[in-house]
Amino acid sequence: MSELDGADFDSAVSPAHIAIIMDGNNRWAKKKHLPSIAGHTAGAAAVRRVVEASAKSGVEVLTLFAFSSENWKRPKLEVDGLMTLFMRSLKKELKRLNEHKIRLRVIGDLSGFSVGLQKQIKNVEDATKDNDQMTLVIAANYGGRWDIAQAAKAVAEQVAQGELSPEDITEAVLAEHMQLADLPAPDLLIRTSGEERISNFLLWQTAYSEFVFLPVLWPDFDQKHFDEAIRTYQNRQRRYGGR
């Protein structure tokens, strides 16, 4: 926790919800001539740091893009390693989450994971459901287009059952069926590694988010980068489509 002490931004106006695309694990490993799983393991340490920093700064919700629906296309060895790391991290971090009163939620198409991993996810979600310091959301096997499609399917089923007429479908109705519907929309989206795109992440929810792109690779993300992103956010004027 000491690695992220000493933030120098105004915590009184910190974003309520930060979303992060944690990019650069593979490039970090390649630069060090290490296997890809070494980069993901180092990335997991960065996750721990940023979770604790966010909780300290008063962030209410932190959403991390851990595994996209497109990541299944990666080499099988890497995917298997990621699944093992995910399972191990869930088991290892449960005590820490409860100590800091952090609630865990996992969003995405969890049916794509093994039965064992699905059970572990549910166990940690259940064990942390009453924690109220911060909500940590892990997006796993998630895609923004999938999210919108599953919401549209839910609304279509309501229409088919006569519970809703097509004329009643509004943005608000569709939003009720999106992932994170019960949480505030992200105020700030951070992407590491220098890439400047959102890669099918929270397409609906980030409609009015501020985007900050940082050149640092995710395993190297530390206090100064966290502070830099927050300061950048605080220096912007959010207009929500107005002037």
Side-chain angles (χ1 to χ4, degrees):
M1 196 176 290
S2 59
E3 293 180 57
L4 284 173
D5 286 342
D8 59 356
F9 53 82
D10 183 359
S11 60
V13 287
S14 293
H17 185 170
I18 297 177
I20 303 179
I21 300 174
M22 308 178 294
D23 193 16
N25 290 347
N26 272 327
R27 271 169 280 180
W28 183 91
K30 287 178 181 178
K31 283 179 64 175
K32 296 180 178 296
H33 307 288
L34 296 170
S36 61
I37 194 60
H40 297 305
T41 301
V47 168
R48 187 179 303 113
R49 295 195 299 267
V50 79
V51 167
E52 294 179 358
S54 297
K56 285 182 176 181
S57 69
V59 172
E60 298 173 13
V61 183
L62 175 66
T63 299
L64 304 177
F65 201 11
F67 189 84
S68 77
S69 51
E70 290 79 20
N71 286 158
W72 294 109
K73 300 174 184 177
R74 293 186 176 188
K76 185 177 184 301
L77 184 62
E78 181 180 354
V79 172
D80 289 347
L82 279 167
M83 294 301 105
T84 300
L85 181 60
F86 192 12
M87 176 76 86
R88 185 186 307 135
S89 296
L90 286 168
K91 294 178 179 178
K92 181 179 179 180
E93 298 302 326
L94 175 56
K95 181 179 179 181
R96 190 188 303 266
L97 291 171
N98 282 328
E99 285 177 351
H100 295 286
K101 300 186 183 307
I102 297 172
R103 176 176 61 147
L104 178 75
R105 285 178 56 180
V106 181
I107 62 170
D109 184 5
L110 304 189
S111 66
F113 297 132
S114 68
V115 172
L117 183 51
Q118 290 181 54
K119 288 182 178 179
Q120 188 62 38
I121 289 170
K122 186 177 187 308
N123 287 341
V124 179
E125 286 182 328
D126 289 346
T128 62
K129 63 183 176 61
D130 294 325
N131 292 341
D132 57 7
Q133 174 67 28
M134 186 180 78
T135 297
L136 170 62
V137 180
I138 302 296
N141 197 21
Y142 174 88
R145 291 176 176 176
W146 165 85
D147 196 353
I148 295 170
Q150 64 85 29
K153 180 180 178 181
V155 172
E157 289 175 349
Q158 286 184 303
V159 173
Q161 294 171 10
E163 299 172 0
L164 191 70
S165 67
E167 294 75 19
D168 293 330
I169 300 174
T170 63
E171 288 184 17
V173 169
L174 191 59
E176 291 175 359
H177 299 279
M178 302 292 297
Q179 302 284 292
L180 307 182
D182 60 323
L183 296 173
D187 301 293
L188 168 64
L189 183 145
I190 301 168
R191 180 171 186 152
T192 59
S193 87
E195 301 292 346
E196 298 186 357
R197 57 181 180 274
I198 61 173
S199 298
N200 198 24
F201 181 47
L202 299 179
L203 298 179
W204 179 279
Q205 296 87 343
T206 57
Y208 289 102
S209 302
E210 295 294 328
F211 292 1
V212 173
F213 301 106
L214 299 175
V216 61
L217 299 177
W218 176 248
D220 293 326
F221 190 87
D222 61 14
Q223 179 72 58
K224 67 181 180 182
H225 304 112
F226 183 81
D227 290 357
E228 178 185 350
I230 300 296
R231 284 195 301 268
T232 300
Y233 166 82
Q234 291 176 337
N235 288 331
R236 291 181 183 173
Q237 181 179 356
R238 305 185 73 196
R239 296 185 177 84
Y240 298 97
R243 298 182 63 182

